[in-house]
Each structure stands twice: as structure tokens, then as C-alpha cells.
Amino acid sequence: MDLALLRTFVMVHRAGSFTRAAALLGLSQPAVTSQIRTLERQLGRPLFLRQARGVRPTTIGDELAHKIAPHVDALLEIAEADLDDQWASRTLHLAGPPEFTALRALPALVPLIARGLAVRAAHGMAEELFEGLSDGHHDLAIATSRPRGRLLAATPLCDEEHVLVAAPRWAARLGGPAVVRDKGLAALEHLPVVEVHESLPFVSRYWSAVFDSKPLAAGTVIVPDLRAVLSCVAAGAGIGVLPRYLCGEALDTGEVVALLDPPVPPLRTYFLVVRAGTLAHPHLARAHEWLLRAAVSW
């Protein structure tokens, strides 16, 4: 059985689309369609059901993919091994949330960059990142949710702790963290809120986890970046919920104050996401491994 046909089959199975598989393989859609039809003729069985949007594997297609995909990936890894000493001359296309990418991921990759790895970074929300990764625009994405489907594979990277913070003068006006702890939500109901979106994603998640409630007030200041939230909170614009990695230095210097220290702080998990099978590429595997090692100390 032709290995090229099997590789195309595995890509179509993961992508769920002849069009997307063709783009990722660097082939035309008619070429992919022809290869799948050839494989189906050789097997004497249908492998995919054609639908209005994409294709769905038959039970035979699922069985074949389960049997051969690991071996196809292993053969690709062997083929790429000859390029292992050239990994540093490659370009890594990385995507993720702007703050985490800037403050965590890119600094962690500096040793690889110093050895010659080129990096191109992009930002976006999780669904945008998954779409860009699926379409071949990114090699590696950092996201706060797991992708669906077979094409993308996710590995947990790290957890970020969320902290409710305010400027010292707001904390003093409230009576300090002890008063906020005793009064709970009642102490915070009428305070101005600084957030990154009108839906108050960070505050809503914190309120749900700590108070089992929803925020009652709308945001007072809405800015598009968590670093801007920190600046506004430190300047006294209101309270905000921030990842500890982002506001840790400001907490240490007293620029902002943590208003609560809940027994179980709200957490959010980051995932490293790649297209299935692409860790066979040495430059991508190195970056993936390097980020996982760096995250141990985050």
C-alpha cells in the first residue's frame, strides 16, 4: 500500500475535510480526492462519507486510522530526523494570548532563539488560534481551552492563579482584606470594575468560583489588554482580577493589594496545542519540549 496514500488518508481523517487536508499537505483538492478514491478502490471499502461541509469517516475509516496513524507519524519522524541538526534554522509560528505570550512564552524560548531559531508570534482568542492552527497559519498555539476534533492535540502546560486586586487606597477605604473576607461580596458590590471585555470574563469567573454568584455591576473601564487592566487598577480606577504571574511584581512592591486570599484560588489551565503528528518536526518538538520544561517553574 502506497505510503503517500496513507499519509493523505490520515490527514483527511484528522482534518475532516479534503480542502483543509489539501492545504496542510501542500496538494490540490482534486489530488487529495483522487488519492482517497484510489485507496478506497484498493481496500474495496468506503473510508469517508461526503457531507455538505467536509467528510465524516466510516467505521472502517476510523478503524484504519486507529491502526496506521501512529506508524505514519513515526515514519515522518524518521524522515525528519535527518534534519535534526538543522532545526535551529527553521521558523516557529507561535500564537497565544498577548500577555502570556509576551511575558511567559517568548522569554522562555530565548535560549532557542539565541541558537538560531526564528519566531513569528501572533495573538488571538482560543477559537481564532485553533482555526489558524488548523489552517496551517500557526505551528504551535497556547490556549486556555482544549480543542475539539482529531486534527489538533493539546498538552496541559500550566495553571494560572487569579487574584482580586485594587490600589492601596481602595483597600484602605474597604477596611483591608480582613473586612473584605468577613463581608464577602457585600463589600465589593458597588466598586468600579476594570476588565478586558464587556462580559467581564475574569471577574465573572472569580465571582463564580469564590462567591458562587455573578457580578451585579457592569464594567467601569474596559481595556483590551490585561497589562492595561493592571495599570488602571494601580492608578486607582477600580478593582480587577488578574493572573498572579502578571501582577506578582506589583503585589510585591505594594503598587496593588490582594483583597482576598481564598482557600482555593480560582485557576485557569493553559494548553500547548499542535496539529496531530507535527511534533515529528524537530524545531517544533524542541520548542514544545522547552516550553513544557519552563512551565514547571511558572
Side-chain angles (χ1 to χ4, degrees):
M1 198 173 291
D2 190 336
L3 179 59
L5 299 184
L6 296 180
R7 183 182 180 220
T8 298
F9 162 73
V10 170
M11 184 60 75
V12 172
H13 184 269
R14 287 170 171 165
S17 162
F18 285 177
T19 302
R20 179 165 281 171
L24 294 174
L25 290 167
L27 301 173
S28 67
Q29 183 176 335
V32 170
T33 302
S34 175
Q35 289 188 19
I36 296 300
R37 286 176 177 167
T38 299
L39 187 58
E40 288 178 327
R41 283 197 301 270
Q42 289 180 1
L43 296 172
R45 301 286 188 88
L47 298 173
F48 296 101
L49 299 175
R50 280 66 172 175
Q51 299 179 316
R53 297 180 63 182
V55 294
R56 178 167 58 86
T58 63
T59 56
I60 296 165
D62 273 335
E63 180 186 12
L64 180 62
H66 178 73
K67 287 181 177 179
I68 71 167
H71 304 293
V72 172
D73 291 342
L75 288 170
L76 176 61
E77 187 171 357
I78 292 171
E80 290 282 338
D82 292 337
L83 300 174
D84 190 55
D85 59 346
Q86 304 173 26
W87 67 267
S89 64
R90 301 289 191 90
T91 298
L92 171 71
H93 293 270
L94 173 70
E99 306 88 357
F100 190 89
T101 303
L103 300 178
R104 288 296 200 204
L106 290 174
L109 292 173
V110 165
L112 299 186
I113 295 170
R115 294 175 62 183
L117 179 69
V119 176
R120 300 293 182 268
H123 301 146
M125 304 297 288
E127 290 305 319
E128 296 172 330
L129 300 178
F130 296 155
E131 184 176 350
L133 194 59
S134 298
D135 290 342
H137 302 313
H138 314 314
D139 298 320
L140 175 64
I142 300 170
T144 54
S145 61
R146 285 185 179 273
R148 297 182 295 273
R150 305 180 186 88
L151 182 60
L152 304 180
T155 304
L157 177 63
C158 65
D159 291 329
E160 75 174 10
E161 177 188 345
H162 288 177
V163 187
L164 177 63
V165 295
R169 68 181 182 87
W170 272 111
R173 184 180 303 181
L174 291 171
V179 173
V180 176
R181 183 180 63 249
D182 293 339
K183 290 186 176 181
L185 192 56
L188 306 169
E189 284 181 340
H190 304 295
L191 297 183
V193 172
V194 185
E195 256 283 14
V196 294
H197 192 269
E198 296 288 353
S199 63
L200 309 183
F202 284 82
V203 171
S204 294
R205 190 180 299 113
Y206 192 97
W207 259 231
S208 177
V210 176
F211 303 118
D212 192 24
S213 178
K214 295 181 179 179
L216 298 178
T220 304
V221 179
I222 304 296
V223 291
D225 188 290
L226 288 173
R227 288 163 291 193
V229 172
L230 176 59
S231 296
C232 290
V233 169
I239 62 173
V241 174
L242 290 167
R244 185 173 289 277
Y245 79 83
L246 192 147
C247 65
E249 183 176 345
L251 287 169
D252 292 341
T253 60
E255 191 177 1
V256 297
V257 176
L259 295 180
L260 275 177
D261 185 19
V264 182
L267 300 175
R268 184 169 67 165
T269 301
Y270 283 96
F271 298 91
L272 279 181
V273 188
V274 297
R275 288 188 302 281
T278 56
L279 288 181
H281 300 296
H283 73 295
L284 180 50
R286 292 287 177 91
H288 190 273
E289 177 188 3
W290 205 268
L291 287 171
L292 288 175
R293 280 195 286 173
V296 173
S297 61
W298 291 347

